[in-house]
């Protein structure tokens, strides 16, 4: 999978995500502003992790160059 010039490739987990799926930068000033400003919605999160990942996958497909 090709890398991204400004970060991670699509479908690649964030480098700040721990093995137990928690943000290592949570509540720290180093946490990116785009993360801190994100307003999660029911549509985005769904009822479980699988639904949230499916929503992300659909966004990645829709925004593919
Ligand atoms: S909140 Fe942002 S920095 Fe933290 S794990 Fe998620 S994407 Fe990465």
């Amino acid at each position: 999978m090709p890398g991204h010039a400004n970060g991670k490739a699509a479908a690649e987990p964030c480098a700040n995500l721990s093995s137990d799926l928690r943000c290592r930068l949570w509540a720290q000033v180093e946490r990116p502003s785009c993360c801190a400003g994100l307003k999660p919605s029911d549509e985005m999160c769904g009822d479980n992790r699988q639904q949230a990942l499916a929503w992300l996958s659909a966004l990645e497909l829709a925004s593919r160059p």
Side-chain angles (χ1 to χ4, degrees):
M1 176 181 296
H4 188 282
N6 297 315
K8 67 178 192 60
E12 193 175 284
C14 175
N16 300 314
L17 195 63
S18 68
S19 59
D20 62 350
L21 305 177
R22 295 177 185 270
C23 178
R24 291 188 183 97
L25 302 181
W26 190 264
Q28 296 183 34
V29 294
E30 295 84 2
R31 188 170 175 232
S33 59
C34 59
C35 300
L38 180 71
K39 304 284 187 235
S41 66
D42 289 344
E43 178 188 21
M44 178 188 303
C45 299
D47 292 329
N48 55 50
R49 177 174 163 74
Q50 276 186 316
Q51 289 178 3
L53 289 174
W55 186 85
L56 281 174
S57 296
L59 275 187
E60 288 176 354
L61 279 175
S63 60
R64 185 185 289 180

